[in-house]
Amino acid sequence: SSAYHTQLTRRGVDLSELWWDEAVETQSVFVFTTTDDSRIFVFRDRRVESEIGFRKWVGHRVADSASDVIYCTSEVPSVNVEALRISEGPLKCFSPGPDICRYDRASLRSCLVSANVVLLNAAEMQIVESIMEEELPSLRQNLSALVVTNGDQGSVVHHGGESVPIPPAACRGVVDGTGAGDAYAAGFVHEVMAGGGVVDAAITGSV
């Protein structure tokens, strides 16, 4: 096993549900910062055979799972397509993050059709709009919620034909925004699974 595997084990992390491939090098990535302080990531291609193995592994896990929540944020579009398609859980979240650039129209359409909650930041939403164009309004109608975060401007929840702005939580100052979207999503999913509505979930995510 790798040194990373050993380190995680020593820290008590359960690796029974973890996929890794030691034959594949760590991704190379270019990170661009936009004028509104969003990040855009451009990845080089991975080895196709590794993606196939990962997709099969995830497919088996999802098919055998009785989980109420599936949260798809894999960097491999085909994995998210398959996982969302076969999941029977009541909450199916799609949050592609910076990997949204990897999606073509067909794979993105499949994820938007299969998911019932989609979480994006403002920059990712622009990319989705450019890919899907005139299809997006009809696809949005099938979602329980489309949530778009926008840094210190808060977020917007689109659901039931309405768009509800959610103000950001008050804070003394931003030190590092790394992981902010994941933290928001964690609060959102927790609130929904506790029985809250999507607007209350967005407020929880903002905190």
Side-chain angles (χ1 to χ4, degrees):
S1 63
S2 68
Y4 185 55
H5 178 280
T6 302
Q7 182 184 41
L8 292 174
T9 302
R10 286 177 179 169
R11 294 187 177 193
V13 177
D14 180 7
L15 302 180
S16 62
E17 298 296 323
L18 180 67
W19 163 274
W20 73 93
D21 187 340
E22 295 182 8
V24 178
E25 296 180 357
T26 301
Q27 281 284 87
S28 296
V29 58
F30 296 94
V31 183
F32 300 90
T33 302
T34 64
T35 54
D36 63 352
D37 206 33
S38 292
R39 306 297 194 275
I40 296 177
F41 296 73
V42 179
F43 297 86
R44 67 174 176 81
D45 289 338
R46 294 180 61 93
R47 285 174 48 187
V48 173
E49 57 267 31
S50 177
E51 291 190 5
I52 293 173
F54 183 39
R55 185 169 66 246
K56 289 181 178 178
W57 182 83
V58 170
H60 289 307
R61 291 293 182 181
V62 173
D64 295 339
S65 173
S67 298
D68 291 330
V69 180
I70 181 169
Y71 184 80
C72 290
T73 188
S74 163
E75 65 181 279
V76 185
S78 60
V79 170
N80 292 329
V81 168
E82 182 69 5
L84 287 167
R85 185 185 65 81
I86 65 178
S87 172
E88 297 182 356
L91 182 57
K92 300 195 290 185
C93 300
F94 175 52
S95 182
D99 296 299
I100 188 61
C101 299
R102 293 174 175 269
Y103 287 77
D104 58 23
R105 192 165 186 163
S107 59
L108 184 54
R109 179 192 300 112
S110 179
C111 289
L112 293 174
V113 167
S114 299
N116 47 30
V117 171
V118 175
L119 298 107
L120 306 163
N121 66 28
E124 294 158 6
M125 183 62 191
Q126 290 180 351
I127 296 172
V128 169
E129 290 174 335
S130 68
I131 295 173
M132 300 312 301
E133 298 176 337
E134 72 280 356
E135 285 191 75
L136 188 58
S138 61
L139 290 171
R140 281 172 51 171
Q141 293 177 5
N142 298 322
L143 297 171
S144 298
L146 168 62
V147 184
V148 182
T149 62
N150 193 18
D152 60 5
Q153 301 301 306
S155 56
V156 178
V157 179
H158 304 279
H159 77 110
E162 297 182 339
S163 297
V164 182
I166 307 297
C171 66
R172 295 180 181 177
V174 177
V175 176
D176 188 344
T178 303
D182 294 324
Y184 184 105
F188 183 96
V189 170
H190 175 80
E191 181 68 25
V192 170
M193 295 311 298
V198 293
V199 173
D200 288 337
I203 293 172
T204 301
S206 296
V207 175

